Amino acid sequence: QEVSEFYSVKDGIPSTDIRALAFDNAGKLYAATAEGLALYSDGKWSVQPSFAKKAIHLVAPIGDLGAGVISEGALHAVSGEKARTLCELPAEIRDGSGPFALCEHGGRIFLGSDKGLYECGIQGATKCTPVESLNALLGDQKAILDLAVGPKGEIAVAAANGLFQSDSDGKQWQQLFPADQTRSWAPRDVRGVAFGPQGRLWFGSPQGAGVRDAQWTLFEGKDGLPYTDFTSAAASPDTSVWLGT
């Protein structure tokens, strides 16, 4: 039987306006709120001291660095009570244009926004610059809603204009056109991507869902899906992948 437990300000969360949740590699849980970054550790909530009373736009895991935090126009790396600024965000993506997704790959942080994909280094005092090789492929609809790193270092991108993937260096990009034995898709408004534990790429979009192993398998209403308007995707540590609607 599942048991639910609810947390509020009286439990140590600075605000009930929760914008994102993320676990880091050490198992610490972070909550991005309108009035600070909450940290759940040893069975209790506390406010991360560097972000008290500050609006947090996004928190997401970034590998061994801990959690990536977007706040006050900058990207920060947080590990428990330690925090450092990695880069200032360009003016065009500071207010309302994202970032909506973060991932770490090869010593770089990638940020997905309404204006396309950006990257910065992890050593601090670095610039956040657009990834022109992908942004050119995105055309006029540059919004990126999700990012995922695969087992060989490839990056999958869920974007308004389709499904994209990089090579293992994160430099060369291509658009993916999933096809199985009975249908072929050029998906648009792709909202979620995830690599499962076996390295299979999953995506979710209003058109349906798909998974790539040796070949693509596509799913829609006629395949038994009760819903096809997918909004997110996430892989669990076991063999399951979750798709949100």
Side-chain angles (χ1 to χ4, degrees), residues 21-157:
L21 296 168
F23 283 98
D24 66 14
N25 284 356
K28 295 184 178 67
L29 174 62
Y30 302 85
T33 85
E35 297 184 29
L37 181 67
L39 170 64
Y40 187 76
S41 182
D42 297 325
K44 61 181 181 180
W45 288 99
S46 62
V47 178
Q48 210 285 340
S50 298
F51 298 96
K53 302 295 184 181
K54 297 179 181 179
I56 310 299
H57 182 76
L58 175 68
V59 62
I62 51 173
D64 293 337
L65 291 175
V69 173
I70 301 294
S71 179
E72 298 192 322
L75 168 64
H76 314 270
V78 177
S79 181
E81 296 193 351
K82 297 180 180 179
R84 63 185 177 97
T85 300
L86 296 178
C87 67
E88 298 292 325
L89 299 181
E92 65 267 23
I93 63 170
R94 285 182 188 170
D95 300 315
S97 296
F100 302 118
L102 293 173
C103 72
E104 185 274 333
H105 170 63
R108 294 175 291 167
I109 306 295
F110 290 86
L111 307 88
S113 75
D114 265 359
K115 309 299 183 184
L117 189 66
Y118 290 73
E119 66 174 320
C120 75
I122 65 173
Q123 298 304 318
T126 62
K127 292 183 178 181
C128 184
T129 58
V131 181
E132 298 293 3
S133 55
L134 173 64
N135 293 343
L137 291 177
L138 295 175
D140 294 335
Q141 300 182 50
K142 297 188 183 300
I144 292 175
L145 300 179
D146 200 10
L147 301 167
V149 180
K152 298 180 180 179
E154 66 273 43
I155 302 171
V157 172

Side-chain angles (χ1 to χ4, degrees), residues 141-225:
Q141 300 182 50
K142 297 188 183 300
I144 292 175
L145 300 179
D146 200 10
L147 301 167
V149 180
K152 298 180 180 179
E154 66 273 43
I155 302 171
V157 172
N161 214 16
L163 178 64
F164 299 83
Q165 183 180 302
S166 77
D167 60 8
S168 59
D169 294 325
K171 296 181 179 179
Q172 301 296 321
W173 295 86
Q174 63 175 324
Q175 187 170 3
L176 302 181
F177 298 97
D180 61 15
Q181 295 179 348
T182 61
R183 58 207 136 176
S184 178
W185 290 354
R188 292 291 185 270
D189 193 17
V190 181
R191 300 171 183 175
V193 286
F195 285 94
Q198 298 175 339
R200 299 191 297 173
L201 172 60
W202 289 80
F203 76 91
S205 74
Q207 194 168 358
V211 57
R212 184 187 63 194
D213 199 342
Q215 59 186 14
W216 284 101
T217 303
L218 304 177
F219 306 94
E220 53 187 321
K222 66 181 181 181
D223 301 302
L225 290 180

